[in-house]
């Protein structure tokens, strides 16, 4: 069963069990929250599924209630216990929904995957401590300008620096038929710190800082989602420039940045 189907089953089971006032799985529900809940740093990079039901009947309803610029992406599918429909949202959107609907209890499911929200209007989010990607000269200058990579651009180059540089790990996680093609690469404006005593974590650094690693071309959204689940919500997807060592080319790509609390 795929990951979406598992999440759908969780929500369906929760709905059935709620009828008997029994809840055996961990769903994120708050009863009668205080209005205007203030987001914390983690809320900007944490992902949830919210079930479409009641006043949250469609992506456009969620957009209006939460004050979003665009409707959130829709996730549908069939699980063992039936069908379910969700929207994929950030923690900040979850708080906006709870604040707007204090007398309603939505069904939220925490999705432990790296956040990916690439702006259509600026370079944000971008790797580096000495660059503000939201400043005017980093914004789109017209409605026709596309800031690369875009949110749904595939294939897309990723820069890897830790366990994902191991070809065998990629074979297992992406279900590849053979060893992947990795190209030696580096990025600027990043630095490595150790997390949990054994994991390499990429964080923002000055333009003079260089991190060596490998580049891999992700072929599809499905491949990318597997990588995002592997990295968990301790990381977020950000834009960067990938310097290919073999050719000297500079590619506009993506990488996983550690969410440093």
């Amino acid at each position: 069963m795929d990951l979406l189907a598992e999440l759908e089953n969780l929500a369906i089971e929760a709905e059935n069990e709620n009828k008997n006032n029994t809840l055996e799985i961990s769903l994120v529900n708050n009863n009668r929250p205080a209005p205007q809940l203030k987001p914390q740093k983690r809320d900007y990079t944490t992902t949830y599924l919210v079930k479409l039901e009641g006043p949250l009947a469609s992506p456009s309803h969620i957009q209006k209630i939460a004050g979003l610029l665009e409707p959130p992406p829709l996730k549908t599918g069939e699980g063992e216990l039936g069908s379910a429909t969700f929207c994929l949202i950030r923690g900040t959107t979850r708080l906006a929904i709870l604040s707007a609907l204090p007398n309603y209890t939505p069904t939220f499911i925490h999705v432990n995957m790296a956040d990916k929200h690439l702006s259509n209007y600026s370079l944000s989010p971008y790797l580096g401590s000495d660059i503000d990607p939201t400043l005017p000269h980093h914004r789109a200058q017209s409605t026709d300008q596309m800031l690369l990579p875009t949110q749904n651009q595939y294939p897309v180059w990723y820069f890897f620096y830790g366990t994902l540089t191991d070809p065998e790990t990629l074979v297992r996680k992406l279900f590849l038929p053979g060893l992947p093609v990795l190209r030696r690469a580096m990025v600027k404006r990043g630095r490595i710190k150790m997390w949990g005593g054994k994991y390499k974590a990429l964080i923002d650094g000055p333009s003079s800082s260089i991190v060596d690693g490998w580049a891999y071309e992700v072929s599809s959204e499905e491949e990318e989602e597997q990588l995002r689940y592997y990295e968990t919500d301790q990381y977020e997807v950000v834009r960067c420039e990938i310097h290919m060592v073999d050719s000297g080319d500079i590619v506009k790509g993506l990488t996983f940045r550690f969410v440093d609390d």
Side-chain angles (χ1 to χ4, degrees):
M1 185 190 308
D2 61 26
L3 292 167
L4 178 58
E6 291 181 17
L7 292 171
E8 291 165 354
N9 285 335
L10 285 176
I12 295 167
E13 289 172 5
E15 183 178 28
N16 293 335
E17 291 169 357
N18 276 337
K19 295 177 182 178
N20 299 320
N21 296 319
T22 303
L23 189 60
E24 297 178 352
I25 62 176
S26 176
L27 293 178
V28 184
N29 283 316
N30 288 340
N31 293 320
R32 300 181 181 276
Q36 302 303 317
L37 297 173
K38 185 177 180 180
Q40 304 299 313
K41 183 177 180 180
R42 292 287 299 178
D43 291 316
Y44 291 93
T45 56
T46 303
T47 302
Y48 292 87
L49 289 172
V50 57
K51 190 174 183 183
L52 298 187
E53 57 186 350
L56 306 174
S58 69
S60 59
H61 282 82
I62 294 175
Q63 178 188 8
K64 183 177 181 180
I65 289 171
L68 305 177
L69 293 176
E70 299 173 346
L74 192 66
K75 295 290 183 180
T76 60
E78 292 288 334
E80 291 180 351
L81 300 179
S83 62
T85 307
F86 302 89
C87 274
L88 200 63
I89 62 171
R90 271 184 169 174
T92 49
T93 302
R94 171 180 169 269
L95 293 182
I97 291 172
L98 291 173
S99 296
L101 303 173
N103 298 316
Y104 178 72
T105 305
T107 299
F108 295 110
I109 302 174
H110 175 223
V111 183
N112 192 16
M113 68 189 300
D115 179 65
K116 184 191 179 189
H117 282 84
L118 306 181
S119 174
N120 292 327
Y121 313 105
S122 74
L123 288 179
S124 180
Y126 201 89
L127 181 67
S129 60
D130 56 2
I131 179 173
D132 184 345
T134 64
L135 289 177
H137 57 285
H138 293 313
R139 298 176 191 165
Q141 301 304 305
S142 69
T143 56
D144 297 328
Q145 183 181 359
M146 297 180 64
L147 298 170
L148 302 178
T150 62
Q151 176 73 16
N152 299 310
Q153 175 183 326
Y154 304 100
V156 61
W157 284 98
Y158 265 77
F159 175 78
F160 296 152
Y161 52 87
T163 54
L164 287 177
T165 61
D166 175 25
E168 295 291 346
T169 297
L170 290 176
V171 168
R172 291 194 305 272
K173 297 303 177 182
L174 302 181
F175 308 102
L176 301 176
L179 292 178
V181 177
L182 294 170
R183 295 175 62 181
R184 187 172 291 279
M186 66 177 189
V187 293
K188 296 181 178 181
R189 291 194 168 96
R191 61 187 182 91
I192 296 293
K193 66 175 287 185
M194 297 306 294
W195 172 60
K198 59 180 179 178
Y199 298 109
K200 290 183 177 181
L202 180 67
I203 60 175
D204 288 331
S207 58
S208 59
S209 180
I210 295 175
V211 176
D212 293 316
W214 297 83
Y216 173 72
E217 191 174 36
V218 173
S219 63
S220 65
E221 182 180 7
E222 290 71 27
E223 267 198 1
E224 184 183 64
E225 282 196 352
Q226 292 299 324
L227 295 171
R228 291 171 62 194
Y229 278 110
Y230 176 75
E231 291 290 0
T232 77
D233 64 2
Q234 293 290 337
Y235 294 82
E236 61 180 328
V237 177
V238 299
R239 291 178 169 120
C240 65
E241 287 189 344
I242 303 174
H243 298 249
M244 301 295 189
V245 173
D246 55 4
S247 65
D249 293 337
I250 300 177
V251 177
K252 296 183 184 299
L254 302 170
T255 192
F256 290 102
R257 179 174 65 189
F258 183 66
V259 180
D260 196 351
D261 293 328

